[in-house]
Every structure is written in C-alpha cells, then in structure tokens.
Amino acid sequence: MIMQYKMLQHVKVVSTHDLGETLKEILQTESYKRPLVVTDHFVSTMPLVVKALDLLRSSGIAVSVFNSVGPDPAAGIVNDAFLAFKQHNADSLIAIGGGSSMDVARGVNIVRTNGGDILDYTDPSKSISPCRGQISVPTTAGTGSEMSNALVVTDESSKTKMTVLADPAVSEYAVLNPELTETLPPAMTIACGLDAFGHAAEGYLSRLSSPMTDAICEKVMYLLYQYLPRAVHDGNDIEARGRVMVAANLAGWMLNNTGTIVGHSIAHVLGSRYHIVHGEAVAYALPSVLEFVGPVRPKKVREIGQILGAVYPESAPQEQTTVLAVRAFKDFRDNILGMHPFDTYQIDHSELLGNASAVSNERFADNTPRTVDEAAARNLLEGFGAR
C-alpha cells in the first residue's frame, strides 16, 4: 500500500511590506541572476512594482519583463513567454499579478524543465520533473495560485479551459505584499475574495478533505467573512487587505490537498464560453452546490452556514439547515459584499443548461461527494446565479 499524505506544503511563504528588498534577498539567497518577470501590462506599470524592479536592476540583477498576459490565458501565451525566457537566457521567473500571470509562469517553468508544449501536460499520465525557480507575487487576494499545484490554460482550437495538475511545479517562493492589493477595485476585490471562499468551501466538502484540511478551510471562510467586507468598503484598510491575502493564500494551499468540486467545474466551463469573471462564476454556483451536497454532507453545510452567521432552530432537520446555510451565503454575497447579480451579464439562462454534459465531465466534478451526472449538472445549472 502506498501512503498518501494529505498535508504537504513545499512553498516558502514570505510576508512583507517591502517588495523590492524581499525579492532581492530571495534572488541572492538562491543565486538567481537573470529573472524573467511574467505579468500583465497594467501590473508592470504599478509604482510599487516599478520601484521593486528598479531596485533589483540597481543591485546588479538582470531583469527582463514579459507583460503580455491577459485574462484566461491561452496556451499560445505560455509559448510566447517561454520564447521570452529563452531569449533572455533567464534562470528564474517572477510572476507578479493574479492567477493568469502565475499560471503562465508555471507553464513556462514546466516546459523549460520538461520540454514539449504546455498542452501535453493536460494528460495526467504525462510525468513532470521538479521545477525550481518560480517566485510568485500575488496582486489580488483570491486565486491562491502562488500556492497552487494547478494551472489553467485555454486551448485555442477547442476554446476550452484545460487544467494541468503538477505538484512538482508549485512556486518555490510566495511573497505576500498586501500593499499591492490596495488599489484593487471593489468589484474585483469581491470576485477574488469569493473565489478564495469557494476554494475553502468546496475543499471542505470535497471527497479529498481530511480533519487537517477541514480546520484550515474553516479558518479561511471565517477570515473572509470577517475581513473581506472591510477590504471591499475601504481599500486602504491594510489590516483587512492583509488578512484577506492570508486567507486566499491558505485557500490556495488547500487546493493542492483537497481540490475543488463541481462549483469550479461550472465556473471553468461557463467562464471559458461566456467570459464570466471566474470568482463571480464560483459564487453564482455555490448555493446550488451547497443544496446538492447537503444530503450527504449535512454537518459541513450546516457549519459553513454558522461561519456565515446563520442561526439554526434547535433540532432543525437537514433540509432546513441547508436552506438557512444557502440563505446566509447569498446574504453575504449579495447584500454584505454587494456582488452584482448574474443577469447583468445578459446571458440567456436557458442557454446555460446546454453545458450540463461539459460540467459533468470536467475533471474536478469527480471530487464532489455525490455523483455529478448530466442530469445532476443540469439541475445545478438551473440554480446558477439565482438570488
């Protein structure tokens, strides 16, 4: 029998208020002299980022910047970034931004270490050797990609999001600098925070959960319930920004141990086809997921509701506690945070039901503690975005 460990953490996490000095210390510690920065155009112009990269250059570190990453990055962007890596003769990667930048950098790290094309590694049987040299700096607090073993790229030919799961390709370092999130607009703060909440809630309900991961997922949900509203309503609340960033980081760690379930399957399928913001898609899906899982995980669904402030009548049956937990999450999402309703996307709701087969076959659906066949996926899509 092969022992399976459920609490692995290979990423060195650094919390800092001085990005430049921290990056310099990491690079010098690891003897990296030629990093490629992988980011998007906006992040590359942020004053804190410009200042940090100027400090590295003045310290004799040869920095090159690839700033062409966009949302839902295609496999071709990974190829472009890999070409930039080779042209710079780089020895390391600094991913600065949201999940897309970190996914692209992770893809480059896999290809430069293992060869081939990044889409080759969407095949779970394809082996991946250890990939050193990625330093990840989140500028949002939601994806947890700085800790994750997963990357998502879009296959241009099929217009589908493809997932690569690679324990050997986690970041070598994660640098948490909450000041980078101070200018994140409220809508994006909400979407990112609810993505992290979805990671924790779905990980808590996953077939792969354990008592150790449960404790961390509970803490993540608690931190987000307490501090995300503060970060939304006052972006300069650095304490709230920092606590939300820690929650997102821990939730990203849990992704490696528990995975997500059908809520993320829905978000991946609908996000790639209709360009719904990922964190919003996760949050639109979660109420139906709680209802679906309630009969087989009643205690956990009840506890999610308690974290969100639900109060249950004594001896309330499972059906009632699940309803109250769903109501508490919708109140958090729609009223306390103020996420915009799904109908603002102006997508015909009946059209969503045609994605049931794709949802049932998406790889994370198998982590759900109930079978997600096409009929179940259709019922889940019926409730997508309901208020």
Side-chain angles (χ1 to χ4, degrees):
M1 184 177 77
I2 299 175
M3 184 178 294
Q4 292 187 339
Y5 297 97
K6 291 298 184 183
M7 284 291 286
L8 297 176
Q9 209 297 89
H10 297 297
V11 185
K12 304 176 185 77
V13 182
V14 182
S15 182
T16 182
H17 295 288
D18 191 330
L19 179 61
E21 286 293 341
T22 300
L23 289 175
K24 183 177 80 169
E25 182 177 352
I26 291 170
L27 292 167
Q28 291 176 342
T29 297
E30 301 296 339
S31 298
Y32 296 140
K33 302 183 187 318
R34 300 186 62 82
L36 175 71
V37 175
V38 178
T39 188
D40 61 58
H41 176 73
F42 173 77
V43 169
S44 70
T45 66
M46 290 175 65
L48 283 173
V49 172
V50 172
K51 180 181 176 183
L53 299 187
D54 285 346
L55 175 66
L56 296 184
R57 292 187 178 105
S58 68
S59 303
I61 297 168
V63 178
S64 182
V65 177
F66 176 86
N67 65 355
S68 299
V69 178
D72 301 321
I77 291 294
V78 176
N79 295 334
D80 293 343
F82 176 55
L83 179 61
F85 186 93
K86 290 197 299 182
Q87 289 175 338
H88 182 54
N89 194 25
D91 59 7
S92 53
L93 293 139
I94 304 175
I96 309 178
S100 294
S101 294
M102 292 179 211
D103 282 0
V104 170
R106 191 167 4 263
V108 171
N109 218 15
I110 290 172
V111 172
R112 68 115 167 181
T113 304
N114 296 270
D117 183 274
I118 190 57
L119 290 177
D120 297 338
Y121 299 93
T122 60
D123 178 356
S125 67
K126 181 80 169 174
S127 64
I128 298 175
S129 298
C131 307
R132 293 186 68 246
Q134 179 168 336
I135 303 162
S136 293
V137 185
T139 57
T140 65
T143 67
S145 289
E146 71 274 11
M147 301 293 284
S148 177
N149 65 348
L151 67 99
V152 179
V153 292
T154 299
D155 181 346
E156 294 103 322
S157 62
S158 64
K159 294 184 168 39
T160 56
K161 289 190 176 184
M162 307 292 288
T163 303
V164 178
L165 295 178
D167 287 333
V170 295
S171 304
E172 190 171 2
Y173 285 86
V175 178
L176 307 184
N177 181 202
E179 284 81 1
L180 288 170
T181 67
E182 282 188 289
T183 58
L184 200 65
M188 191 56 66
T189 301
I190 293 168
C192 291
L194 287 175
D195 186 21
F197 191 95
H199 293 158
E202 292 186 39
Y204 193 54
L205 299 170
S206 170
R207 292 181 189 272
L208 303 178
S209 65
S210 70
M212 295 294 291
T213 62
D214 285 350
I216 296 172
C217 288
E218 287 169 358
K219 185 63 173 180
V220 169
M221 290 185 283
Y222 172 83
L223 286 171
L224 291 168
Y225 183 63
Q226 296 296 321
Y227 290 98
L228 182 57
R230 282 174 50 180
V232 170
H233 298 302
D234 180 5
N236 295 317
D237 185 338
I238 200 64
E239 180 190 20
R241 290 290 195 185
R243 298 290 269 176
V244 169
M245 181 168 267
V246 166
N249 180 267
L250 290 173
W253 174 25
M254 289 303 94
L255 286 176
N256 301 354
N257 291 273
T258 66
T260 52
I261 61 174
V262 68
H264 269 69
S265 298
I266 292 170
H268 288 159
V269 170
L270 300 187
S272 64
R273 296 189 180 177
Y274 306 107
H275 303 292
I276 303 170
V277 174
H278 175 72
E280 294 177 356
V282 169
Y284 292 139
L286 187 56
S288 291
V289 172
L290 294 175
E291 291 172 352
F292 180 66
V293 173
V296 295
R297 293 286 190 272
K299 186 173 185 292
K300 285 191 170 184
V301 172
R302 178 187 178 114
E303 287 173 349
I304 291 172
Q306 286 178 320
I307 290 168
L308 293 168
V311 177
Y312 301 111
E314 188 175 349
S315 302
Q318 173 267 315
E319 294 85 356
Q320 185 178 10
T321 57
T322 295
V323 167
L324 292 174
V326 169
R327 187 178 300 167
F329 176 73
K330 288 182 176 179
D331 181 59
F332 179 55
R333 181 191 70 186
D334 301 335
N335 300 322
I336 296 174
L337 295 176
M339 192 175 90
H340 65 91
F342 173 62
D343 60 17
T344 59
Y345 276 102
Q346 297 184 319
I347 299 169
D348 181 16
H349 203 282
S350 63
E351 184 181 341
L352 300 182
L353 304 183
N355 295 285
S357 177
V359 168
S360 66
N361 289 301
E362 204 275 342
R363 68 188 303 170
F364 293 114
D366 285 342
N367 294 337
T368 310
R370 289 183 67 185
T371 300
V372 182
D373 56 19
E374 190 168 339
R378 184 180 178 87
N379 286 335
L380 286 161
L381 290 168
E382 287 274 10
F384 183 82
R387 293 175 71 84

mmCIF file of all heavy atoms in Angstrom, residues 10 35 85 137 146 238 293 342:
data_model
loop_
_atom_site.group_PDB
_atom_site.id
_atom_site.type_symbol
_atom_site.label_atom_id
_atom_site.label_comp_id
_atom_site.label_asym_id
_atom_site.label_seq_id
_atom_site.Cartn_x
_atom_site.Cartn_y
_atom_site.Cartn_z
ATOM 1 N N HIS A 10 5.130 22.800 0.107
ATOM 2 C CA HIS A 10 6.505 22.942 -0.349
ATOM 3 C C HIS A 10 6.902 24.400 -0.611
ATOM 4 O O HIS A 10 8.067 24.664 -0.887
ATOM 5 C CB HIS A 10 6.715 22.139 -1.639
ATOM 6 C CG HIS A 10 6.526 20.666 -1.468
ATOM 7 N ND1 HIS A 10 7.331 19.901 -0.653
ATOM 8 C CD2 HIS A 10 5.625 19.805 -1.998
ATOM 9 C CE1 HIS A 10 6.937 18.641 -0.697
ATOM 10 N NE2 HIS A 10 5.895 18.557 -1.499
ATOM 11 N N PRO A 35 16.270 36.869 -13.774
ATOM 12 C CA PRO A 35 14.847 36.506 -13.726
ATOM 13 C C PRO A 35 14.061 37.113 -14.887
ATOM 14 O O PRO A 35 14.369 38.218 -15.350
ATOM 15 C CB PRO A 35 14.385 37.092 -12.398
ATOM 16 C CG PRO A 35 15.273 38.275 -12.188
ATOM 17 C CD PRO A 35 16.616 37.876 -12.766
ATOM 18 N N PHE A 85 11.632 33.829 -22.238
ATOM 19 C CA PHE A 85 12.523 33.236 -21.234
ATOM 20 C C PHE A 85 13.834 32.797 -21.899
ATOM 21 O O PHE A 85 14.933 33.085 -21.392
ATOM 22 C CB PHE A 85 11.830 32.042 -20.577
ATOM 23 C CG PHE A 85 12.577 31.416 -19.434
ATOM 24 C CD1 PHE A 85 12.350 31.817 -18.124
ATOM 25 C CD2 PHE A 85 13.515 30.416 -19.669
ATOM 26 C CE1 PHE A 85 13.039 31.233 -17.075
ATOM 27 C CE2 PHE A 85 14.210 29.831 -18.625
ATOM 28 C CZ PHE A 85 13.968 30.242 -17.317
ATOM 29 N N VAL A 137 4.189 36.482 -6.804
ATOM 30 C CA VAL A 137 3.807 37.673 -6.047
ATOM 31 C C VAL A 137 2.373 38.042 -6.432
ATOM 32 O O VAL A 137 2.147 38.646 -7.484
ATOM 33 C CB VAL A 137 4.749 38.855 -6.348
ATOM 34 C CG1 VAL A 137 4.406 40.049 -5.453
ATOM 35 C CG2 VAL A 137 6.213 38.449 -6.190
ATOM 36 N N GLU A 146 -0.353 31.346 -6.039
ATOM 37 C CA GLU A 146 1.018 31.346 -5.531
ATOM 38 C C GLU A 146 1.340 30.085 -4.734
ATOM 39 O O GLU A 146 2.498 29.745 -4.512
ATOM 40 C CB GLU A 146 1.277 32.593 -4.675
ATOM 41 C CG GLU A 146 0.578 32.630 -3.331
ATOM 42 C CD GLU A 146 -0.838 33.177 -3.391
ATOM 43 O OE1 GLU A 146 -1.367 33.337 -4.511
ATOM 44 O OE2 GLU A 146 -1.414 33.450 -2.315
ATOM 45 N N ILE A 238 -5.341 48.338 5.446
ATOM 46 C CA ILE A 238 -4.245 47.407 5.181
ATOM 47 C C ILE A 238 -4.344 46.164 6.053
ATOM 48 O O ILE A 238 -3.909 45.078 5.645
ATOM 49 C CB ILE A 238 -2.875 48.101 5.345
ATOM 50 C CG1 ILE A 238 -1.785 47.313 4.596
ATOM 51 C CG2 ILE A 238 -2.523 48.303 6.800
ATOM 52 C CD1 ILE A 238 -1.978 47.256 3.113
ATOM 53 N N VAL A 293 -25.018 19.056 -2.185
ATOM 54 C CA VAL A 293 -24.170 18.281 -1.282
ATOM 55 C C VAL A 293 -24.820 18.116 0.099
ATOM 56 O O VAL A 293 -24.467 17.200 0.847
ATOM 57 C CB VAL A 293 -22.779 18.954 -1.167
ATOM 58 C CG1 VAL A 293 -21.913 18.282 -0.117
ATOM 59 C CG2 VAL A 293 -22.077 18.934 -2.515
ATOM 60 N N PHE A 342 -26.302 38.096 -11.512
ATOM 61 C CA PHE A 342 -25.896 37.403 -12.734
ATOM 62 C C PHE A 342 -26.565 37.991 -13.970
ATOM 63 O O PHE A 342 -25.968 38.012 -15.057
ATOM 64 C CB PHE A 342 -26.224 35.907 -12.618
ATOM 65 C CG PHE A 342 -25.997 35.145 -13.881
ATOM 66 C CD1 PHE A 342 -24.730 35.061 -14.452
ATOM 67 C CD2 PHE A 342 -27.054 34.521 -14.544
ATOM 68 C CE1 PHE A 342 -24.511 34.374 -15.623
ATOM 69 C CE2 PHE A 342 -26.844 33.821 -15.711
ATOM 70 C CZ PHE A 342 -25.571 33.747 -16.253
#
